[in-house]
């Protein structure tokens, strides 16, 4: 919506190469560059552009400044049985969380279910990327994190929780996974910024002024509302669940203790936590029964009657459609991101992403 | 709200004795009577009256009719490591789910995290009762179930999911647990029935007519909306998570395949599934760190500024207040429940609950 038609569409492949090249150029080790690029590409591929490649310049600043460790030594510091704690040594959150999910998947293959708590991580981008990784390997995956405060409590009048996402992905035999990746606020703060620049009113019950009173004026918006409007205690409770698993279980910072993502300080690690969980469906019964159940459930869901002005979709269906389109035709970068890419290309001597063949 | 002032308040203790007596009177074994009474008392104690002792007559009908097994033999039929599958032999859902949570807690003490899938269960009442049981023992507990279809999909025009609750409870050292027990619809269907009888309009975006179009008229209401209003894809996604864990992982019935709770058939088992998960906080780090974190988090939350017309509370705070009041002063039964109790008292020769001492 903010995209001008002047930028050409670029291929996802060249975008990922560009991200990896720039990250390596600023000194990130190979594992960091690969994981951070992969997570951003999840965002860009699935249309979650707020958590896509537009973050590249931000991550470079955090890596160069020292907030994120360019050459971290991740190591297991605790846990037993099906539980493990990973100290990420202030790694990029994508490296930390992909690593944690790999461990959770490996343990769950042995023990049916596994959870990994992550200490000393950093911004991990799209939560769905890590849940999806479990689903790609045949397991049900969960990913949680917290983030700096933007969201009021139900009835609250100050920023308290972050947008604290919850992501879950479920494997579907022969199909793309079921994928839920939701902020526990109704909308992300980027939406407010977008509406501000467009001069449009916000939807009802998603944002509040400085007194915590709902407003549809993006210029009056001081904080976000928890998911649920009048029933926002549910959204706030889900945000609390993410907060407890990622900050309390790990001993990391609570949302209101986290240094602002956008600085000004890019030198100090933010001490973020995160939490992932993996469940092996066949630990509970026959895998064919599970596969048949998912198929029957999704078939019924997708064929369920829709309102005359709407369609029904399974979680992730919209994202898989966008991914298919962008795989084929490439993606158009917004002008601000494109300009930042030009600067990064020059600084690190990395060729700009190239046009998609089919665009 | 529907209560007349003619009924006296009765003590929680005598209510639980009455429930156990009636359940034993209709032939339920001791474990069934104890578990079903305990779950109903959770609902009544915490003000979740829709899932409280008003269900007693319903459960008697299901036990006498054969839908629920009066003398079930619960047994583990699968799983490995931290995963287990319990066949509940068509037990009362409360017996099935308390038993499953006991197993999850025991396994999580050994392995840090554990999940138990339940097959051949029945209506389990308030999901929070089972999550709370884990928290009472020092673990983080999760409980999920599905139920017969009442809730449309986002954009949908027919009943698809049940109100599919998600409950989570977290232990807090020296305090009552943090407790989130939420339907994934905005409101329960009982709320619609209540507003119908009161002649009041419903809140916006919680109910739909036969075409799936939102309505505030309780008489036009044919289905519930998923939590989130305009962002109902989140509520529908959470309902889907509960559905997948409880019906697909277990191989039990999907919401739209479940026989209606209210009959007419009370002879056939409904083949419901459920799913519980327990996490041992100290598996991931120092217990004192976790306890301190919960204390710091809740202190900040409860002291967070409120809107001028509102208060802020942690999940469960309202329920613990109601419980304290009802423990002291007893609870007033609604007239319909009281009348059904008079019939059950006569039929099974069980004395009616007695007045609370302090009422």
């Amino acid at each position: 919506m903010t995209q001008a038609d002047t930028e050409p569409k670029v291929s996802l492949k060249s975008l990922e190469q560009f991200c990896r090249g720039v990250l390596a150029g600023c000194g990130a080790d190979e594992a960091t560059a690969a994981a951070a690029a992969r997570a951003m590409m999840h965002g860009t591929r699935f249309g979650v552009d707020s958590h896509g490649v537009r973050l590249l310049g931000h991550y470079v600043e955090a890596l160069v400044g020292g907030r994120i460790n360019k050459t971290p030594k991740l190591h297991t510091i605790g846990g037993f049985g099906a539980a493990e704690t990973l100290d990420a040594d202030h790694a990029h959150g994508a490296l930390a969380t992909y690593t944690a999910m790999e461990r959770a998947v490996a343990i769950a293959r042995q023990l049916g279910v596994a959870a990994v708590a992550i200490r000393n991580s950093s911004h991990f981008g799209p939560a769905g990327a890590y849940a999806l990784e479990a689903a790609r390997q045949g397991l049900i995956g969960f990913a949680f994190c917290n983030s700096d405060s933007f969201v009021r409590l139900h009835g609250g009048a100050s920023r308290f929780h972050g947008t604290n996402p919850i992501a879950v992905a479920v494997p579907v035999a022969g199909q793309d996974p079921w994928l839920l990746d939701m902020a526990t606020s109704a909308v992300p703060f980027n939406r407010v910024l977008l509406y501000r620049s467009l001069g449009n009113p916000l939807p009802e019950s998603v944002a509040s002024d400085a007194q915590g009173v709902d407003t549809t004026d993006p210029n009056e918006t001081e904080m976000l509302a928890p998911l649920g409007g009048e029933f926002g205690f549910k959204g706030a409770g889900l945000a609390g669940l993410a907060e407890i698993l990622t900050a309390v279980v790990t001993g990391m910072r609570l949302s209101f203790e986290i240094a602002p993502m956008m600085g000004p300080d890019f030198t100090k690690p933010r001490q973020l936590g995160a939490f992932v969980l993996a469940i092996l469906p066949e630990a509970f019964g026959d895998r064919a029964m599970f596969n048949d159940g998912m198929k029957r459930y999704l078939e019924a869901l997708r064929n369920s009657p829709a309102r005359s002005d709407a369609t029904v979709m399974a979680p992730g269906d919209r994202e898989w459609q966008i991914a298919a389109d962008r795989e084929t035709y490439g993606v158009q970068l917004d002008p601000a991101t494109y300009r930042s890419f030009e600067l990064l290309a020059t600084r690190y001597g990395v060729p700009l992403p190239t046009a998609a063949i089919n665009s």
Side-chain angles (χ1 to χ4, degrees), chain A residues 95-167:
Chain A
L95 178 60
T97 317
Y98 278 127
T99 303
M101 189 57 98
E102 278 303 312
R103 283 297 303 154
V105 165
I107 300 169
R109 285 197 192 286
Q110 300 298 318
L111 297 175
V113 52
V116 179
I118 313 172
R119 291 175 55 88
N120 294 318
S121 185
S122 65
H123 189 261
F124 78 14
Y130 315 103
L132 183 58
E133 194 46 45
R136 281 198 168 121
Q137 298 185 47
L139 289 85
I140 301 175
F142 294 73
F144 305 85
C145 78
N146 70 345
S147 50
D148 41 327
S149 295
F150 270 114
V151 187
R152 65 167 170 78
L153 293 164
H154 185 59
S158 79
R159 295 178 178 191
F160 189 78
H161 287 125
T163 50
N164 295 13
I166 297 177

Side-chain angles (χ1 to χ4, degrees), chain A residues 200-234:
Chain A
N200 286 348
L202 289 163
E204 299 281 347
S205 305
V206 307
S208 304
D209 66 16
Q211 282 71 48
V213 178
D214 281 3
T215 180
T216 59
D217 182 347
N219 295 304
E220 288 293 314
T221 296
E222 278 295 318
M223 60 195 87
L224 300 172
L227 174 69
E230 187 177 341
F231 309 93
F233 60 90
K234 298 188 180 185

Side-chain angles (χ1 to χ4, degrees), chain A residues 164-244:
Chain A
N164 295 13
I166 297 177
V168 187
V170 182
V172 187
Q175 298 180 35
D176 292 318
W178 181 100
L179 175 61
L180 176 69
D181 181 0
M182 56 173 271
T184 51
S185 53
V187 299
F189 203 75
N190 282 326
R191 188 82 64 92
V192 176
L193 300 179
L194 174 62
Y195 280 53
R196 218 177 256 179
S197 68
L198 295 174
N200 286 348
L202 289 163
E204 299 281 347
S205 305
V206 307
S208 304
D209 66 16
Q211 282 71 48
V213 178
D214 281 3
T215 180
T216 59
D217 182 347
N219 295 304
E220 288 293 314
T221 296
E222 278 295 318
M223 60 195 87
L224 300 172
L227 174 69
E230 187 177 341
F231 309 93
F233 60 90
K234 298 188 180 185
L238 292 168
L241 169 61
E243 189 81 23
I244 291 165

